[in-house]
Amino acid sequence: MTVEWIKTPEDHVIVVLGATGDLARKKLLPALFHLDFEDLMPKHYLIIGSSKQELTNEGFRDFTRKAVDEFCKCSSTEGHWEEFSSRLSYVPGEFGPNDYGPLSDAIRKAEAEIGGDPPRRLFYLAVPPPAFGPITEGIGAAGLEERARVIYEKPFGLDMKSFQQLNATVQDVLDEDQVYRIDHFLGKETVQNILAFRFANGMFEPIWNRDHIDHVQIDVPEDIGIGGRGGFYEKTGAFRDMIVTHLFQVLSFIALEPP
């Protein structure tokens, strides 16, 4: 007997903003291909990439193919790439409250192409934090907030004041159940396994506390450089990018009380 425990997602138009950046190249585009490879994507979906870089649809597909070949963990791309690549398109330019026309038109064209019941809209903001506010305002100005979910990569604001301002902007446009503030480090299997290792392991659970642990050391043995992230680091900085987001959240998994 087959157990149908995986629900096929609803039809979607997926918009990746910052589609030629480091995060999209290394993580998002290969992950979307991998989900398609594992038959975990919607039956009908289209992906629209957008960034400041001038690319054609074919140029974006070539960019994505290189990213998939380099970073996807799939056993093979043969037999899957052609169909996946046919779902990709690209709109160059900025997206904000005063300049949303081309991307808005592309989204509505994609929805018409999918047909049937209106598909959901998924916006993934793989852009520097200062762009979050204008993009959110652009979603509202273009009337795209209906049926939408918006994913904001960390850091969500650069300090308490900017967080509060950004959160107010988001809540003016979106309902809370449409908003996902995430740190992709917390989706890593090694990080998620910490919780099981701590709380479901009879050997370690009784002694994983301040009475038995002398200190904690978290290493990040990365050998990659800044690469194409210069603009991001100029505004955000390596400390805010790594320490107060990724590593403090990993530390919280190690040190939190039993949930």
Side-chain angles (χ1 to χ4, degrees), residues 151-224:
I151 300 173
Y152 299 87
E153 267 281 353
K154 62 84 200 167
F156 190 86
L158 302 178
D159 52 30
M160 178 62 77
K161 182 179 179 181
S162 62
F163 164 81
Q164 292 170 335
Q165 291 172 339
L166 175 57
N167 207 48
T169 298
V170 169
Q171 292 179 345
D172 282 344
V173 176
L174 303 163
D175 294 331
E176 185 58 36
D177 61 2
Q178 296 177 280
V179 179
Y180 295 80
R181 306 169 186 84
I182 71 164
D183 179 346
H184 60 264
F185 252 51
L186 301 187
K188 292 181 181 290
E189 186 175 356
T190 305
V191 175
Q192 293 187 344
N193 282 345
I194 292 174
L195 295 180
F197 188 68
R198 282 193 62 189
F199 299 118
N201 189 311
M203 179 181 296
F204 293 105
E205 191 278 332
I207 62 172
W208 193 309
N209 56 56
R210 64 184 179 183
D211 297 324
H212 300 282
I213 294 176
D214 179 79
H215 69 281
V216 173
Q217 177 175 320
I218 301 174
D219 295 325
V220 187
E222 290 188 343
D223 57 5
I224 59 173

Side-chain angles (χ1 to χ4, degrees), residues 95-97 100-101 103-105 107-108 111 119 121 123 135-148 150 173-174 178:
F95 181 76
Y100 54 78
L103 184 55
S104 177
D105 292 344
I107 292 169
R108 291 189 164 88
E111 291 173 345
R121 300 159 177 160
F123 295 88
I135 289 173
T136 303
E137 292 171 343
I139 291 171
L144 296 171
E145 72 279 5
E146 186 180 358
R147 307 186 312 277
V150 184
V173 176
L174 303 163
Q178 296 177 280

Side-chain angles (χ1 to χ4, degrees), residues 30-51:
L32 289 169
F33 178 83
H34 199 169
L35 288 170
D36 185 85
F37 182 85
E38 298 291 346
D39 201 25
L40 295 174
M41 291 292 278
K43 184 177 181 181
H44 304 291
Y45 74 93
L46 294 169
I47 298 171
I48 302 172
S50 183
S51 74

